[in-house]
Amino acid sequence: MRIAIPAEDNRGLESSVSGHFGRARYFVFVDVEENEIKGAEVVEVPFDEHNPGDLPNFIREHGGEVVLAYGMGRRAMAFFNELGIEVVTGAHGRIKDVVEAFIHQVLEVDPYWKEKIEREKEHGHREH
């Protein structure tokens, strides 16, 4: 299985999950076999501006089968669904920890991510 995660920076498994899926400059693609992390690849997003569907296609081109993200818009989720890529939202923390928890089915997601992102848009800053 190949998991794609938007990252705050290019430190791979040590990066934190980006709070803004659509604005992430890097994605970490984590290869998992038999419930173990076998490798991770950091890929810089190749475009500054993007249209709906560009990021889902970018992730598909890099073999992503699952996306772990904090927040994501409905249109992006619909594109992933069309591509057969599973999406988990509300994921936060260090990427290695998030992937390990996902593999072992103990990932705790923030159920209030939508509200937090809406508040952030209203107040112009990040709250979490």
Side-chain angles (χ1 to χ4, degrees):
M1 166 174 48
R2 190 150 215 227
I3 302 171
I5 306 111
E8 291 280 343
D9 54 43
N10 65 353
R11 295 182 305 133
L13 294 172
E14 296 301 315
S15 296
S16 291
V17 175
S18 173
H20 295 279
F21 173 80
R23 292 190 217 146
R25 292 299 313 138
Y26 302 95
F27 275 79
V28 179
F29 290 88
V30 181
D31 294 307
V32 175
E33 292 174 27
E34 298 175 13
N35 289 338
E36 284 186 26
I37 294 173
K38 295 295 184 183
E41 175 187 13
V42 177
V43 180
E44 186 170 0
V45 175
F47 33 78
D48 289 327
E49 298 290 320
H50 60 272
N51 295 310
D54 287 351
L55 284 172
N57 283 316
F58 163 75
I59 287 169
R60 184 186 62 184
E61 288 165 11
H62 285 84
E65 299 166 80
V66 176
V67 175
L68 303 180
Y70 184 69
M72 184 182 300
R74 284 191 305 271
R75 288 179 76 186
M77 287 184 191
F79 276 105
F80 282 119
N81 288 338
E82 287 175 25
L83 296 172
I85 296 171
E86 178 184 350
V87 174
V88 177
T89 54
H92 55 93
R94 188 173 71 137
I95 289 176
K96 183 175 188 204
D97 298 334
V98 168
V99 171
E100 291 279 354
F102 177 76
I103 291 168
H104 299 292
Q105 301 179 345
V106 293
L107 179 62
E108 291 186 21
V109 297
D110 180 351
Y112 304 107
W113 66 266
K114 285 182 186 170
E115 292 88 342
K116 288 180 180 174
I117 288 174
E118 288 305 314
R119 274 203 308 274
E120 181 181 325
K121 285 179 185 171
E122 289 171 18
H123 300 297
H125 68 284
R126 188 164 177 182
E127 292 182 21
H128 84 111

